[in-house]
Amino acid sequence: GESVGLHLPTLSVQEGDNSIINCAYSNSASDYFIWYKQESGKGPQFIIDIRSNMDKRQGQRVTVLLNKTVKHLSLQIAATQPGDSAVYFCAEGPMNSGYSTLTFGKGTMLLVSP
Amino acid sequence: EAGVTQSPTHLIKTRGQQATLRCSPISGHTSVYWYQQALGLGLQFLLWYDEGEERNRGNFPPRFSGRQFPNYSSELNVNALELEDSALYLCASSFFVSRSAGELFFGEGSRLTVL
C-alpha cells in the first residue's frame, strides 16, 4: 500500500535498540493522550494511552511518558524489532469527550534495520 | 471477528466529479467516524455518526457529507472534487461514545486520487 510516511520526521534504529518517539502537544486542556501505530497500507492501530493524572504508563515493550509542564509526550519501544517499522503518531483531547474531539499529530516514521 | 472494512481501496476521479466511500463498522459498534489523512498531515476529523444521526462535524466544507444506515454502515460523499481532496480517507468505529470506556478501531482506508 501507499506509504503515509512521506515528508515525516524519521527515526532510524538498529534491531534490538530502544526507540524513543516524541510528541509535543499544544492544548493545555487535553487530559487524555493516545499513541497509534500505522503500518504502510494499513489503518492506525491503538498502542497505549495515558491520562493526565499519570506521568508514566507501561505496556508490552512500550512505555509512554507524559510531561504536562512542557506539554510533551514520548513513546519508548524496548528492543525494537523490524516489525515495529511504521509511522507512529500521538493524539490528544479532553478525557470526557468523544473521539471526534481528538487532535492528531503528524507522526514520526520509525525504520528498524535488521 | 471482522474488523472495520472500507471500500473501495483505491479510487481515481477527476476534478468536479463526486466520490462515494463506504464503511462497515465492527459488529455491534454503533459509532462511525470519518477522517482525512493527507500526505504529511495528521488525521483530520470529518464526521461522526451514531445511531444513524450526525453527531459532530469537522472543519470541512458542506461538499463533504455522509450518512449512516440502519445497519450502522456508513457512506462518505465528496462532491465537486478538488485536487486537494486527494488523501487517504479512514473510517473508524467504536462501541462506546466516550473515550474513557473504549477504543477506536480503524479500517485500512480508501485512497482517493483526484486528477
Side-chain angles (χ1 to χ4, degrees):
Chain A
E2 188 171 337
S3 169
V4 296
L6 297 177
H7 315 299
L8 295 176
T10 300
L11 174 64
S12 296
V13 301
Q14 293 287 119
E15 183 178 2
D17 287 351
N18 295 332
S19 302
I20 300 176
I21 300 169
N22 297 304
C23 176
Y25 64 94
S26 56
N27 189 352
S28 300
S30 292
D31 56 3
Y32 183 68
F33 307 87
I34 312 172
W35 278 102
Y36 287 95
K37 172 186 180 182
Q38 188 173 19
E39 296 176 80
S40 183
K42 296 188 175 181
Q45 181 181 15
F46 173 92
I47 301 173
I48 192 168
D49 60 0
I50 188 168
R51 302 183 185 189
S52 61
N53 60 353
M54 304 170 70
D55 52 22
K56 179 179 179 179
R57 191 170 186 216
Q58 289 183 293
Q60 188 177 14
R61 280 201 308 119
V62 295
T63 301
V64 56
L65 299 177
L66 175 63
N67 185 330
K68 296 180 286 294
T69 302
V70 295
K71 296 202 284 286
H72 184 267
L73 194 66
S74 69
L75 177 71
Q76 300 178 358
I77 304 174
T80 315
Q81 303 167 0
D84 295 327
S85 293
V87 173
Y88 292 81
F89 56 88
C90 64
E92 55 161 308
M95 181 69 215
N96 294 317
S97 182
Y99 289 104
S100 64
T101 59
L102 281 176
T103 299
F104 293 84
K106 296 179 184 179
T108 296
M109 174 168 276
L110 176 65
L111 296 175
V112 184
S113 305
Chain B
E1 178 182 308
V4 177
T5 57
Q6 293 186 243
S7 65
T9 306
H10 292 86
L11 188 61
I12 299 174
K13 294 284 187 178
T14 56
R15 270 191 310 176
Q17 286 189 312
Q18 181 203 28
T20 298
L21 309 177
R22 296 178 177 83
C23 172
S24 292
I26 291 173
S27 179
H29 287 192
T30 61
S31 274
V32 171
Y33 304 78
W34 286 96
Y35 296 90
Q36 182 194 67
Q37 188 177 38
L39 275 176
L41 297 179
L43 270 70
Q44 301 293 315
F45 166 70
L46 272 163
L47 291 159
W48 169 30
Y49 293 95
D50 184 65
E51 297 285 0
E53 300 288 329
E54 181 180 301
R55 301 297 185 182
N56 199 6
R57 181 181 183 85
N59 189 25
F60 281 84
R63 58 190 185 81
F64 286 84
S65 65
R67 53 180 172 166
Q68 186 177 34
F69 299 99
N71 66 353
Y72 303 115
S73 67
S74 178
E75 203 172 77
L76 174 69
N77 295 293
V78 188
N79 294 319
L81 285 166
E82 299 179 3
L83 296 178
E84 52 265 35
D85 296 333
S86 294
L88 182 69
Y89 289 84
L90 290 161
C91 173
S93 73
S94 69
F95 181 69
F96 294 102
V97 170
S98 168
R99 284 201 296 280
S100 63
E103 189 181 321
L104 196 60
F105 294 87
F106 285 89
E108 298 196 341
S110 293
R111 171 67 61 184
L112 173 63
T113 301
V114 183
L115 302 175

